Amino acid sequence: DTAVSQTPKYLVTQMGNDKSIKCEQNLGHDTMYWYKQDSKKFLKIMFSYNNKELIINETVPNRFSPKSPDKAHLNLHINSLELGDSAVYFCASNGGAEQFFGPGTRLTVL
Amino acid sequence: AQSVTQLDSQVPVFEEAPVELRCNYSSSVSVYLFWYVQYPNQGLQLLLKYLSGSTLVKGINGFEAEFNKSQTSFHLRKPSVHISDTAEYFCGLAGGTSYGKLTFGQGTILTVHP
């Protein structure tokens, strides 16, 4: 059983397009996150949701809009994609003393 | 503000040799510290964590780390590495009373040579 899953694994798209990445966790956790890992492998938090409520927004451009339909899902929608959005995006959920990470979605903007 | 600094971007080592990956942190509140490993093209896997109590914590795959509050460090060690330990390692910090919002260091690439 996959604890935290993301789809798609790879996403290649043109500048200006809108795309979404989906995340699901089956661990029963209340808190979920999106992280961005850039080309230098630097990992930085973007958003955190607790039980469908936004609790952290780390000055991410408003082209990025997270949506949590229920506490098991946290999707990331990106409008008007830019070259600089190319990165690996990781979803995670918080199990109290540990964050469980998804396998990542590699987004390439051409 | 909190920050994590991993002092080495790359650490090459021969198989069966000991290794230490260094991590220093800065925080004005009490902290929880983590080490994660990322194998190529994979997500992050927790190696070990310090929450409270004993300052020497043991994790998976034979790794251990020591929390040193006076030196604000949380170095990761393994007495004898294997080829399969080749990966990138991230030190992370969560501050305050919440376990949320991990702040990561820049990562250290460990390469184990035969």
Side-chain angles (χ1 to χ4, degrees):
Chain A
D1 284 344
T2 303
V4 182
S5 59
Q6 294 178 229
T7 54
K9 190 170 174 61
Y10 300 96
L11 187 53
V12 181
T13 188
Q14 300 285 336
M15 261 185 4
N17 284 349
D18 303 337
K19 290 293 178 186
S20 293
I21 306 172
K22 295 185 177 181
C23 176
E24 177 181 0
Q25 55 98 359
N26 61 8
L27 299 166
H29 297 158
D30 288 337
T31 307
M32 296 182 70
Y33 308 82
W34 278 108
Y35 289 86
K36 179 181 180 180
Q37 187 175 46
D38 62 23
S39 58
K40 296 183 179 178
K41 296 292 192 74
F42 185 58
L43 266 163
K44 189 172 180 185
I45 191 167
M46 300 173 68
F47 299 104
S48 174
Y49 267 72
N50 183 273
N51 205 7
K52 303 193 296 177
E53 183 180 341
L54 180 66
I55 55 172
I56 295 174
N57 181 340
E58 288 288 307
T59 61
V60 177
N62 57 16
R63 296 183 296 105
F64 290 78
S65 53
K67 285 189 172 48
S68 182
D70 55 63
K71 73 174 193 177
H73 295 84
L74 180 61
N75 304 324
L76 183 64
H77 188 76
I78 315 170
N79 289 327
S80 303
L81 278 157
E82 300 177 356
L83 293 176
D85 297 332
S86 294
V88 181
Y89 292 84
F90 287 101
C91 178
S93 71
N94 189 347
E98 177 181 351
Q99 287 192 22
F100 294 81
F101 284 80
T105 295
R106 183 175 295 276
L107 172 64
T108 303
V109 183
L110 303 175
Chain B
Q2 300 169 337
S3 66
V4 178
T5 302
Q6 291 181 239
L7 297 163
D8 307 292
S9 59
Q10 296 191 53
V11 173
V13 66
F14 287 106
E15 197 173 18
E16 297 184 8
V19 71
E20 178 179 81
L21 306 184
R22 297 181 293 167
C23 173
N24 284 90
Y25 69 91
S26 172
S27 176
S28 58
V29 297
S30 59
V31 296
Y32 308 101
L33 292 158
F34 305 82
W35 275 100
Y36 281 83
V37 60
Q38 185 179 27
Y39 297 104
N41 298 315
Q42 294 188 28
L44 280 79
Q45 179 183 4
L46 182 70
L47 274 180
L48 47 79
K49 56 184 180 280
Y50 171 77
L51 305 178
S52 64
S54 173
T55 57
L56 182 65
V57 292
K58 293 188 183 299
I60 62 170
N61 301 341
F63 284 92
E64 63 181 33
E66 185 155 19
F67 171 60
N68 188 319
K69 189 175 181 180
S70 63
Q71 300 198 359
T72 60
S73 68
F74 190 56
H75 300 333
L76 180 70
R77 301 184 183 100
K78 185 169 182 178
S80 175
V81 294
H82 303 289
I83 297 284
S84 59
D85 293 322
T86 295
E88 187 150 14
Y89 293 78
F90 291 92
C91 182
L93 173 155
T97 58
S98 169
Y99 294 118
K101 191 189 172 183
L102 275 172
T103 298
F104 285 101
Q106 303 92 323
T108 298
I109 298 172
L110 173 65
T111 304
V112 181
H113 298 283

